[in-house]
Amino acid sequence: MDDRGGSFVAVRRISQGLDRGNTCHSNSAEFVTGSTAWLGRGLSCVCVQRRESDARPSFDLTPAQEECLLRLQSRIDIPYDSCIPEHQDALRALWNAAFPEEELHGLISEQWKDMGWQGKDPSTDFRGGGFISLENLLFFAHNFPKSFQDLLRKQEGDRSVWEYPFAVAGVNITFMLIQMLDLEAVKPRTLVGATFLKFLAENESAFDLLYCITFKMMDQQWLSMRASYMDFNTVMKSTRRQLEKELLLEDIMRLEDIPSYKLLTR
C-alpha cells in the first residue's frame, strides 16, 4: 500500500512451483496496484465495528488467565522497529525459513515481494500487526513447515490467477484475531474471548497456534469460495465466523481439538 493508503498489492500467480510452572505454559510473482483499500491500512475493514452504546458482558478471569493475558498483551503492544537488532534478526530468520536456499540481499530488497510483502521494505507492512505478526509467521514456519510452504507457494487446490499476498495476509490474520478475541480489553467481553483465555492458560503458545489454524482455514475458505483478490475481505469475514463457531463447539478441551487443526501438516 502506498503512503496515501488508497491502493493494494495483489499477487498474480505465474507458477505453483514457487508445565504450567509459571501458570502459562511455556510465484514467481508479479505485483499490481489498484484503487480499493484492502490490506495494510485497510485492515479494519475485515473486523466488526462497535458502537459506544453497545452493552457487552465481561467474564471474570482466574489469576492464571489474567497473568497469561497480560503477557500476551505485552507482546501485542510491541511495534515492529527496524532499528532493533532482535527485530532485524527475526525478519532474517523468516526469510531463511521461507527460502532456505536463497540468500537474502538485505532487509530492504525487492526479494521480499516474493514472500508477499507489498514493497521492498517489509517493515512498512507491520503497522497493523506489530512485532507479534512477525512472531506469528515465524512460529508457523518453524512448527508447521509443510503447511507454511504450501500456503507461501500456493501449492494446494485450484488457485486463482490473482492470489492474495501471503505475508500481508498473515499480518491481516494477526490483526483480525486480536480484534475477534478482544485481547486489548482488561477482561474478555465475548464468550469466544473467554474461551480462548482458557486455552491460553494451558498453553502459552495458544495465540500462535490459533494463528496457524486460522491461516490454513482462511486458505481453505479462499479455495472453496473460488476467490480472487477482490474477495479477500469477504473470505476473512467468512473465516472469522467459522473460527468462532469451531472455538465454541462442545468437548473442545484444547486448540488441537478444533476441527480445522487437522488441516495443518508439519
Side-chain angles (χ1 to χ4, degrees):
M1 179 165 293
D2 63 23
D3 290 338
R4 298 183 300 275
S7 65
F8 58 80
V9 175
V11 179
R12 184 177 182 185
R13 186 173 59 85
I14 307 297
S15 169
Q16 288 185 322
L18 243 188
D19 80 44
R20 304 176 62 175
N22 292 325
T23 68
C24 289
H25 299 282
S26 330
N27 324 49
S28 29
E30 168 187 347
F31 290 75
V32 297
T33 59
S35 60
T36 302
W38 180 43
L39 299 172
R41 292 186 187 176
L43 283 166
S44 60
C45 62
V46 304
C47 301
V48 176
Q49 302 299 311
R50 299 195 298 267
R51 299 185 300 272
E52 292 297 325
S53 59
D54 287 349
R56 305 183 67 187
S58 63
F59 297 82
D60 291 332
L61 303 177
T62 67
Q65 291 169 351
E66 185 174 358
E67 181 181 344
C68 292
L69 176 59
L70 288 172
R71 290 189 183 188
L72 181 55
Q73 288 173 334
S74 69
R75 290 178 63 196
I76 292 170
D77 287 342
I78 300 173
Y80 179 85
D81 188 337
S82 58
C83 295
I84 297 178
E86 177 189 359
H87 293 195
Q88 297 173 0
D89 291 343
L91 195 55
R92 291 189 187 95
L94 179 63
W95 176 269
N96 292 333
F99 304 109
E101 298 179 357
E102 182 177 347
E103 181 181 358
L104 178 65
H105 299 155
L107 293 181
I108 298 178
S109 169
E110 295 290 333
Q111 291 172 284
W112 289 107
K113 294 180 181 180
D114 293 338
M115 196 186 294
W117 299 104
Q118 296 183 95
K120 62 183 181 180
D121 183 1
S123 67
T124 62
D125 287 326
F126 285 118
R127 286 172 294 203
F131 184 59
I132 193 172
S133 59
L134 175 52
E135 292 179 315
N136 290 156
L137 282 165
L138 273 172
F139 182 92
F140 194 8
H142 291 156
N143 289 275
F144 301 98
K146 185 179 187 308
S147 287
F148 179 89
Q149 289 291 335
D150 287 345
L151 297 186
L152 170 66
R153 302 171 187 274
K154 306 296 191 298
Q155 291 180 327
E156 293 185 344
D158 185 11
R159 311 304 308 197
S160 169
V161 173
W162 294 102
E163 280 286 332
Y164 62 84
F166 171 80
V168 182
V171 176
N172 274 256
I173 290 171
T174 297
F175 185 85
M176 182 270 283
L177 287 174
I178 292 170
Q179 286 208 333
M180 184 190 84
L181 300 172
D182 204 16
L183 292 176
E184 294 177 299
V186 174
K187 58 178 65 176
R189 295 172 292 181
T190 64
L191 182 56
V192 70
T195 300
F196 169 74
L197 289 183
K198 295 178 182 178
F199 300 139
L200 185 64
E202 297 295 326
N203 179 3
E204 67 175 350
S205 299
F207 185 78
D208 304 89
L209 178 56
L210 186 60
Y211 171 90
C212 301
I213 295 168
T214 306
F215 210 143
K216 188 64 176 177
M217 179 189 292
M218 185 277 291
D219 191 70
Q220 289 293 303
Q221 295 278 336
W222 178 275
L223 291 172
S224 66
M225 296 169 68
R226 303 184 65 84
S228 188
Y229 66 91
M230 289 298 289
D231 303 312
F232 184 80
N233 290 338
T234 301
V235 173
M236 286 291 284
K237 290 175 182 177
S238 177
T239 301
R240 174 171 173 162
R241 288 192 298 269
Q242 180 63 27
L243 183 60
E244 289 174 328
K245 178 181 177 181
E246 292 195 16
L247 284 170
L248 297 178
L249 290 173
E250 294 183 2
D251 301 325
I252 301 298
M253 304 303 296
R254 55 185 191 139
L255 286 177
E256 291 87 344
D257 295 332
I258 72 173
S260 289
Y261 175 80
K262 298 180 177 64
L263 297 173
L264 292 168
T265 53
R266 298 183 185 274

